[in-house]
Amino acid sequence: MSWYSKIYVAVREYRGKHRNIGWILTRCLNILLVTQLIFLWMTLYVYIKVTIGYYVQSHVQATIYLIISSFLFVMSMWSLAKTLFTKVGRVPEKYRPSKELEDRLKAVTPYENNRYVVEKSTPVQLKQQNIILEEMCTFCKVVVAECDQVGRLKYCYECGHIKPDRTRHCSSCGKCCIKYDHHCPWINMCVTHANYKYFLLYIIYTSILVYWYLLTSLEGAVRYFIIQKWKEDLWKILYYLFSFIAGGVFGYYPLGELIIFHYQLISLNETTVEQTKPAVLRFDNAADYNMGKWNNFRAVFGWGVWMWPIESNEQDGLHFDIRNLKYIFRYVSTQQRNRFVRIEEEQSSSAPSADSSTH
C-alpha cells in the first residue's frame, strides 16, 4: 500500500467513527489539487500582466502569446473538470451474486484480522472456491477471462461482487473500479476507464502550458537586465525566479515523468497497477491485452477527437480483446450466451466466427 493510500484509509476509518471532523479531514485531502489550481491561476495572471503586458514590446507578439497561453489554459482546465466530474467507473450490479452463493464462498475462505485471506486457503478450499465462483458467473450470466495468481476467478470480498477483467479494488476509496489505473493524490480521485483520457489530456496540456510559459518568459528575464529598473521591477524578477524553479521542477516531475510513463503504458495496453502486478488470463499465461500500438492508443482515446476532452470511447470498460502468440480472443454477447471467441490473428479485422468459440 502506498503512503497516500495509508492516509486515505486512515481518514476513511476515522470518518466512520467521527463523522463531522472526518468530513473536514476528507476535504483536506484535496490540498494537492488546490495547490495546483492556485499555482496555475497565479501563473496565468502574472504571465498576462508582467510578460505580455509589460515586457513584450510588439502588439502582434503579445496577441499571439495571449491566444496560445489562453487556449492551453482553457484546455487544461476543461480536461481537469472532465476528469473530476466524470463519474468513476464502478462495477455494475449484474456482477453481484446471490446472498446464498456469497455465504457459501465466505464459508470456505480463511478469515483473519477482520478480512478474508485467500492466500491462506488450502488446495481443497481453493477448489471449492473456484467451483462456487463458476456458479456465480453462471448465476450472473457474465464471462470473465482473468484469474488470480492461484487460478481462481477474481472476487472482491469487500464489495461483494465478481471482478470484471482489469477491475481492481482501490484501497484509497474502499471500492472497486473498472479498468482501474491508479488513485491519483494530485487530483484526489481514482483514474479509471471512464476518465483516463481526460486525465492524460490534463497532464499533456498542463505540461505544454508550463513549458510555453517558461520559454516565452525568458524574454522578460532578459529585458529586466536591459531596462535596468532594479528596484522598481525587483518583484517581477523575484516572481520569475520562483516560477522558473517551480515550473521547471513541476514540468519535469510529476508532469513530464507522467507523460513518458503513461505513453509507455498505453503502448503496451497496460494500466499502472498491471505494470506492477500483471493480469493473469485463463487462456494462456503468456496472453495479454496488447493489440499493437495503434489499437492500444485507440482503446484509450477512442474513435477520434483525441486531443479534445470529449467522450469518444468505444469500449465498455468490462470486456477487452486478448492476444496470445497465435490467436486473438474477443468477447461476444448474444441472446443465447456471453462468451469469448477465438479468431486467427491475421483475420482479426473481420467478424469472428461462431464455430471458433472457446471458454
Side-chain angles (χ1 to χ4, degrees):
M1 185 182 294
S2 61
W3 62 268
Y4 61 84
S5 292
K6 293 179 181 178
I7 296 175
Y8 280 91
V9 171
V11 170
R12 191 171 70 246
E13 292 176 350
Y14 185 86
R15 186 177 182 181
K17 300 176 183 178
H18 310 278
R19 186 171 182 179
N20 294 331
I21 300 178
W23 184 89
I24 296 174
L25 290 176
T26 303
R27 303 284 80 78
C28 291
L29 295 175
N30 291 307
I31 184 65
L32 291 178
L33 173 62
V34 174
T35 301
Q36 290 176 75
L37 292 174
I38 292 175
F39 175 76
L40 289 174
W41 278 96
M42 184 175 64
T43 298
L44 180 68
Y45 171 77
V46 177
Y47 180 74
I48 294 175
K49 185 176 180 64
V50 178
T51 302
I52 297 178
Y54 183 73
Y55 283 122
V56 174
Q57 304 296 308
S58 170
H59 293 294
V60 175
Q61 183 182 358
T63 302
I64 294 174
Y65 281 11
L66 181 61
I67 292 174
I68 294 177
S69 60
S70 299
F71 171 78
L72 293 173
F73 185 82
V74 169
M75 294 301 292
S76 173
M77 292 298 100
W78 184 9
S79 301
L80 176 60
K82 290 286 288 186
T83 303
L84 296 175
F85 296 109
T86 298
K87 189 176 180 179
V88 174
R90 302 296 185 193
V91 178
E93 278 298 312
K94 73 174 184 177
Y95 284 85
R96 191 177 300 278
S98 66
K99 186 69 166 58
E100 177 193 355
L101 289 172
E102 182 182 10
D103 291 341
R104 284 175 54 197
L105 179 65
K106 290 180 177 179
V108 294
T109 307
Y111 187 79
E112 295 181 3
N113 299 322
N114 298 320
R115 61 185 294 266
Y116 290 93
V117 188
V118 179
E119 296 80 6
K120 293 191 176 182
S121 300
T122 65
V124 174
Q125 287 176 321
L126 287 174
K127 184 176 180 180
Q128 293 173 330
Q129 292 166 16
N130 215 24
I131 292 174
I132 297 172
L133 288 168
E134 291 284 2
E135 291 180 23
M136 287 182 174
C137 288
T138 302
F139 175 85
C140 297
K141 298 180 180 179
V142 297
V143 177
V144 293
E146 286 189 7
C147 60
D148 58 22
Q149 300 299 321
V150 294
R152 228 180 52 115
L153 294 178
K154 297 170 69 176
Y155 179 85
C156 181
Y157 287 87
E158 293 186 53
C159 298
H161 55 62
I162 300 165
K163 286 185 179 180
D165 295 336
R166 312 188 80 172
T167 295
R168 298 292 189 276
H169 185 85
C170 176
S171 57
S172 299
C173 294
K175 297 180 181 179
C176 283
C177 305
I178 60 174
K179 198 184 177 184
Y180 176 72
D181 190 86
H182 71 291
H183 188 100
C184 182
W186 291 96
I187 60 173
N188 188 27
M189 190 173 188
C190 287
V191 178
T192 70
H193 163 78
N195 61 356
Y196 186 45
K197 172 187 175 180
Y198 310 135
F199 171 76
L200 292 176
L201 290 179
Y202 170 61
I203 61 177
I204 289 171
Y205 280 117
T206 305
S207 297
I208 297 174
L209 177 64
V210 170
Y211 300 147
W212 171 259
Y213 165 76
L214 293 176
L215 180 64
T216 54
S217 293
L218 288 175
E219 179 180 352
V222 173
R223 288 190 180 278
Y224 171 77
F225 291 97
I226 294 176
I227 298 174
Q228 297 184 3
K229 292 182 179 180
W230 309 118
K231 292 183 179 181
E232 296 89 332
D233 294 346
L234 181 60
W235 72 272
K236 298 184 180 68
I237 200 63
L238 288 177
Y239 177 78
Y240 269 8
L241 181 63
F242 166 78
S243 59
F244 281 161
I245 295 175
V249 172
F250 194 66
Y252 172 74
Y253 181 85
L255 291 175
E257 288 289 324
L258 279 174
I259 291 176
I260 296 173
F261 177 67
H262 282 281
Y263 173 82
Q264 295 170 342
L265 289 180
I266 298 173
S267 298
L268 299 173
N269 202 348
E270 288 184 342
T271 62
T272 299
V273 294
E274 286 171 352
Q275 190 196 49
T276 56
K277 190 177 181 180
V280 179
L281 296 157
R282 292 194 289 167
F283 300 121
D284 188 342
N285 288 335
D288 56 31
Y289 298 110
N290 188 355
M291 294 290 126
K293 186 173 290 187
W294 166 256
N295 290 325
N296 293 344
F297 271 83
R298 180 164 180 169
V300 172
F301 290 99
W303 53 266
V305 290
W306 283 16
M307 296 306 295
W308 293 86
I310 298 173
E311 174 61 41
S312 58
N313 209 312
E314 300 173 297
Q315 298 182 338
D316 61 2
L318 302 170
H319 310 99
F320 307 90
D321 289 351
I322 300 165
R323 180 197 296 267
N324 68 3
L325 297 177
K326 188 175 181 180
Y327 301 106
I328 290 178
F329 298 91
R330 181 163 296 161
Y331 176 83
V332 173
S333 179
T334 63
Q335 292 183 349
Q336 290 76 25
R337 59 173 175 156
N338 302 324
R339 55 182 173 166
F340 282 91
V341 298
R342 188 182 69 197
I343 56 179
E344 298 291 341
E345 184 171 341
E346 58 269 18
Q347 297 176 347
S348 61
S349 60
S350 61
S353 171
D355 297 332
S356 57
S357 63
T358 187
H359 187 71

